[in-house]
Amino acid sequence: MLFAGIGDLIPLYALYSLLFADHGLSTGQISALFAIWSTTAFLLEVPSGAWADTVSRRALLVFSGVLLTAGFAMWTLVPTFLGFALGFVLWGAAGALKSGTFEALLYDDLAARGEQASYARILGYTRAASEAAIVVGIVGATPLYLWGGYALIGWASVGFAALHTVIALSLPSAPQFVSATAVDELEEEDAPDNRAAVVQSAERDESTVVARPFARYLGMLKAGVGESIRISAVRNGVLLGALLFGITAFDEYFALLAEEAGAATAVVPLLVGVTVLGSLAGSVLAGRTEGMSGRAMAIAVGIGGVLFLGGALVAGLAEHRPSAVYVLTGLGFTAIGISYGIVYNAGVVAGARLQDAIEGPARATVTSVSGLLGEVVALAVFAFAAVVTTWWSMSVLLAILGASILPIAVLAPKWLPAKVVEPVDSK
């Protein structure tokens, strides 16, 4: 949890959209930067996942931290469109290396101790540590900005990213875990032997190419992508997780919404922090909601969509009512924060169900496939934002994105993988 927390103790999170805007970038250019970020992650997501199934996952997380540190340093030293773009490339590569790798390492470490049933709860606490760190970083951005402007915020972010990298050296290096107990039971309806075939093929690949790293890498890549496509429970989990992750790309526009509504720059981090408190609560509660049914998730996510839509419109009203700017933005961002927490919680639960559904050895690769599709959704959000904000306000954009949560709620009952019930030993 310390590794995840320090990695998100980044004051720049609160203000980087305003950093770009204050250096002369338009909303379209800012959306282009976000697209560069997501495209980098998109291109590297699955290859990095297969890499994590082939080499030391801990080493990849250390490398990820190095790239993250370099990215924030680039922003601070070269605050131009090109510098911001290069920083996002480094950040995108760092995120791709971490995505899937950390979840697989955590699951395998728990499995090595026979405690994989605790994965959803531990992942929730880990995400909560990240969200708590984000809150601290965001709130801390206000005094840092007042004392030293964007430069102080930037160098503080570089320092915390470097500390995150050092902490990665202390992570465990658990053996990869492959369940063999349910392979024959979780069969594809239209192809009964698919799951067993995928797992057996992957195991053959692993055993025959130990001395050939590149061939082993290709074997893991094939096994992970194959399981993501052929096995219904895994495929559904991959798709649902991608949608729940990708749609949260709307959080990149929270600071711009607050600024458009008329909030002072020093107050923007506090409003954004309200939304992070929502995701923090959603993470902490993951251990209690991990057993939810698909129908329960659909209802919760549907409520979240309505709250997000309404919150964005209420916050947008402040633009034309300067005397009530903080009342309206406070109400609007509170509704958005509750919605964000619901969606975030659903994402953690869906991610845990996906880990339970994976049976082959390429766990990080399968997780990265979901991350890749999530980046596709995020890219669609950024492209949509670049077009819509040409005519409409930021509040209208976010209201539309909130409405897009509703179709995801409809899909949840069908796509959420079933909860795995651990067998009880009888004596």
Side-chain angles (χ1 to χ4, degrees):
M1 287 189 286
L2 181 63
F3 167 77
I6 297 297
D8 283 315
L9 189 58
I10 308 295
L12 268 172
Y13 285 175
L15 292 173
Y16 63 75
S17 293
L18 299 187
L19 169 67
F20 306 151
D22 287 349
H23 281 83
L25 275 62
S26 66
T27 301
Q29 288 177 307
I30 293 173
S31 292
L33 289 176
F34 293 155
I36 290 170
W37 183 21
S38 283
T39 299
T40 302
F42 172 84
L43 294 175
L44 298 178
E45 186 77 36
V46 174
S48 66
W51 195 11
D53 285 323
T54 308
V55 300
S56 167
R57 290 170 178 164
R58 179 173 58 193
L60 286 188
L61 292 174
V62 172
F63 185 37
S64 169
V66 171
L67 294 179
L68 183 67
T69 305
F72 292 141
M74 179 66 68
W75 282 4
T76 307
L77 293 170
V78 191
T80 64
F81 180 84
L82 179 60
F84 296 142
L86 291 175
F88 265 129
V89 169
L90 291 170
W91 191 0
L97 288 172
K98 182 180 176 183
S99 174
T101 304
F102 178 74
E103 288 83 354
L105 183 147
L106 174 61
Y107 192 92
D108 285 346
D109 183 61
L110 291 171
R113 293 178 286 170
E115 299 175 2
Q116 59 266 39
S118 301
Y119 176 80
R121 177 173 55 83
I122 300 300
L123 180 63
Y125 289 155
T126 301
R127 295 280 179 88
S130 294
E131 298 304 309
I134 291 174
V135 172
V136 173
I138 286 175
V139 173
T142 294
L144 288 174
Y145 178 80
L146 294 174
W147 294 333
Y150 289 122
L152 182 57
I153 289 177
W155 287 119
S157 300
V158 170
F160 283 119
L163 179 59
H164 165 75
T165 305
V166 173
I167 294 173
L169 294 169
S170 66
L171 292 173
S173 185
Q176 294 185 18
F177 173 77
V178 182
S179 172
T181 60
V183 171
D184 294 326
E185 297 174 5
L186 298 176
E187 298 176 334
E188 185 77 9
E189 291 182 2
D190 57 347
D193 297 326
N194 271 348
R195 177 176 289 273
V198 170
V199 176
Q200 291 171 3
S201 173
E203 290 172 344
R204 285 198 304 272
D205 287 340
E206 185 178 15
S207 63
T208 58
V209 297
V210 169
R212 293 150 48 202
F214 184 67
R216 185 167 185 266
Y217 168 85
L218 292 178
M220 286 296 182
L221 185 63
K222 179 181 177 181
V225 174
E227 186 169 5
S228 300
I229 294 173
R230 296 190 185 100
I231 310 305
S232 64
V234 176
R235 181 175 63 244
N236 291 340
V238 162
L239 292 172
L240 182 60
L243 288 172
L244 290 169
F245 166 75
I247 197 60
T248 59
F250 49 49
D251 63 5
E252 303 300 337
Y253 298 98
F254 289 164
L256 295 176
L257 172 64
E259 182 186 48
E260 178 185 83
T265 300
V267 178
V268 170
L270 303 180
L271 291 172
V272 175
V274 171
T275 68
V276 182
L277 286 175
S279 57
L280 170 61
S283 300
V284 171
L285 293 173
R288 293 181 177 274
T289 61
E290 62 176 324
M292 73 167 69
S293 66
R295 187 169 183 270
M297 179 178 286
I299 294 172
V301 173
I303 292 172
V306 173
L307 285 172
F308 195 101
L309 188 159
L313 293 177
V314 169
L317 291 175
E319 182 180 3
H320 306 291
R321 293 170 175 78
S323 62
V325 60
Y326 293 115
V327 173
L328 292 173
T329 53
L331 290 173
F333 273 82
T334 298
I336 291 173
I338 295 171
S339 169
Y340 197 18
I342 292 171
V343 174
Y344 206 89
N345 178 271
V348 173
V349 172
R353 299 286 183 87
L354 172 61
Q355 292 296 326
D356 284 338
I358 297 170
E359 293 289 342
R363 182 174 301 280
T365 307
V366 174
T367 308
S368 291
V369 171
S370 184
L372 172 99
L373 296 177
E375 294 298 340
V376 173
V377 177
L379 277 170
V381 169
F382 298 145
F384 181 72
V387 173
V388 168
T389 51
T390 304
W391 299 285
W392 293 335
S393 66
M394 190 61 61
S395 60
V396 172
L397 164 67
L398 288 174
I400 295 172
L401 292 177
S404 70
I405 297 174
L406 300 178
I408 300 176
V410 175
L411 295 170
K414 181 178 180 181
W415 284 4
L416 180 66
K419 170 69 176 174
V420 174
V421 179
E422 295 295 325
V424 179
D425 294 333
S426 58
K427 294 184 179 180

